[in-house]
Amino acid sequence: MTVQKTALAGAILSALVATPLVAQTEIKIGYALAPDSHYGVAAERWQEVVEERTDGRFTFRHFPSSGLGGEREVIEGVQLGTVEATIVSSGTLANFVAETGVFDIPFLFRDLGHARRVLDGPIGQDILEMFDAEGLVALAWGEQGFRHITNNRNQIGNPGDISGMRLRTMENPIHLTAFQTLGAAPTPMAWPEVIGALQQGTIDGQENPLSVIVSASLNDVQQYLTISGHVYSPAMLLVSPMVWEGMSEEDQQIFREAAAEAVVAMRGFVDNVEESGLETLRERGMDVAELSAEDRAAFQEALAPAYEEYYTTYDRDLIDAIIATE
Ligand code: PAF
């Protein structure tokens, strides 16, 4: 009996020595889309790199598909520390740091490369730093692609075609001004309500990049897709200061590097879906049309009064510097 007890105590002791107790911090990460979306892929990569390089001291728990609520609520949770991390669109970011709204100006970026260079360069990085003062740690810019319009009313070729259209926009003042100026009837709405509103017909359409249209299967509830590319849609990787301030500098660096790798994965996903998305959506039965350069110019012309408003909100030099970025 005594021999058995001694053996048991010895076994427990060697198990404890072999597996020292390591404090683990759980990172609850919330995002609006499915695990197989660009957000899911980025969150997965963020997790892999952090877990591997911190030897499991941090673990991730995913809340995809708006599992923690709309993007505004999740960002507020990150501020409060009830959510440790998120990947969000620029939808509500201008309500936290007004300067982010400059990237939401329609037809500002020429292509994905232009947008990525601005966001990864001093202009984008300066804006990331502004989030510190709002109780948010903004680690990197990600992206969704260029936004396009889907609806159930008619195909779109010129600004007149969206006249009176009940179009869901993000809760984003820049987008709202644009669609009001174009004569649509924009309805700002949090993403979790959108599919239901489209199904019930309380709105005619919405606008989002191919990454979202494909991964959220908007073809199930929308007939027409117009490749309008009217605005670039950035995303952001945010961490709560509550968890950030408790980390060593080394771990903060690992989180930064992992976020950069997550962005590579997200942009890779977007590149792929920009290539294949149109065909996928045609195959799924959508009526797809693309605005020509002249059509896009007509939209830009119709937006002239909105641009006047943007120039009073944002520094003209900043807008010019963005446009001039090679
Ligand atoms: O349209 C939006 O609100 C956003 O693009 C979405 C789909 C939530 C992804 O961030």
Side-chain angles (χ1 to χ4, degrees):
M1 194 65 177
T2 317
V3 173
Q4 276 173 345
K5 272 189 186 163
T6 313
L8 184 62
I12 292 171
L13 191 67
S14 42
L16 286 174
V17 171
T19 46
L21 290 176
V22 177
Q24 279 194 333
T25 305
E26 185 182 76
I27 304 293
K28 289 191 289 301
I29 180 164
Y31 44 93
L33 300 162
D36 64 356
S37 67
H38 49 303
Y39 285 180
V41 162
E44 190 70 37
R45 186 69 192 131
W46 202 359
Q47 164 175 10
E48 270 170 18
V49 177
V50 168
E51 288 187 355
E52 188 192 305
R53 295 194 193 159
T54 62
D55 297 321
R57 277 179 289 110
F58 290 87
T59 57
F60 275 57
R61 188 161 153 216
H62 293 239
F63 292 85
S65 308
S66 306
L68 297 176
E71 291 191 331
R72 182 197 283 265
E73 277 170 275
V74 175
I75 298 171
E76 284 165 359
V78 172
Q79 275 179 321
L80 292 169
T82 53
V83 181
E84 284 78 21
T86 187
I87 302 175
V88 286
S89 69
S90 63
T92 64
L93 285 180
N95 300 303
F96 295 87
V97 171
E99 285 78 357
T100 58
V102 73
F103 301 136
D104 294 312
I105 295 180
F107 301 107
L108 178 71
F109 292 109
R110 295 182 292 279
D111 50 37
L112 292 177
H114 178 208
R116 291 171 185 180
R117 286 188 296 279
V118 172
L119 296 175
D120 294 346
I123 297 176
Q125 299 305 300
D126 282 355
I127 293 184
L128 287 184
E129 280 172 22
M130 292 176 191
F131 281 78
D132 289 354
E134 301 311 317
L136 291 163
V137 182
L139 288 190
W141 287 104
E143 82 180 3
Q144 307 210 77
F146 280 89
R147 299 179 82 89
H148 309 295
I149 302 171
T150 66
N151 81 96
N152 282 330
R153 203 184 73 175
N154 52 265
Q155 191 47 269
I156 299 165
N158 59 63
D161 293 332
I162 61 167
S163 175
M165 188 177 279
R166 294 168 304 164
L167 202 64
R168 177 267 176 175
T169 66
M170 298 197 289
E171 297 161 281
N172 178 305
I174 308 300
H175 291 190
L176 193 57
T177 300
F179 285 106
Q180 273 162 348
T181 306
L182 290 171
T187 311
M189 192 183 280
W191 175 249
E193 295 161 39
V194 175
I195 309 265
L198 289 170
Q199 271 164 341
Q200 284 156 22
T202 51
I203 48 173
D204 301 308
Q206 64 85 53
E207 45 83 62
N208 251 304
L210 288 175
S211 55
V212 176
I213 301 170
V214 170
S215 56
S217 293
L218 287 180
N219 46 281
D220 288 345
V221 286
Q222 294 276 262
Q223 185 179 355
Y224 300 101
L225 164 62
T226 310
I227 299 301
S228 48
H230 52 279
V231 68
Y232 175 72
S233 198
M236 192 177 276
L237 281 71
L238 290 165
V239 170
S240 172
M242 306 304 166
V243 68
W244 186 256
E245 279 154 22
M247 281 184 207
S248 64
E249 275 182 27
E250 192 194 351
D251 285 343
Q252 289 180 348
Q253 185 56 22
I254 291 172
F255 266 74
R256 274 188 199 289
E257 288 165 9
E261 295 213 20
V263 169
V264 172
M266 197 181 327
R267 288 178 177 170
F269 185 106
V270 169
D271 285 336
N272 278 339
V273 79
E274 293 279 321
E275 282 274 310
S276 61
L278 274 193
E279 209 34 54
T280 305
L281 293 167
R282 274 201 186 97
E283 279 167 16
R284 291 185 191 171
M286 286 192 100
D287 177 323
V288 180
E290 194 160 353
L291 292 188
S292 65
E294 293 76 38
D295 299 333
R296 284 163 59 89
F299 274 88
Q300 268 178 288
E301 211 173 296
L303 282 168
Y307 286 115
E308 287 311 316
E309 201 174 313
Y310 301 145
Y311 293 141
T312 61
T313 313
Y314 298 104
D315 187 359
R316 184 75 195 243
D317 289 345
L318 173 62
I319 297 176
D320 288 346
I322 293 172
I323 294 170
T325 301
E326 290 296 323

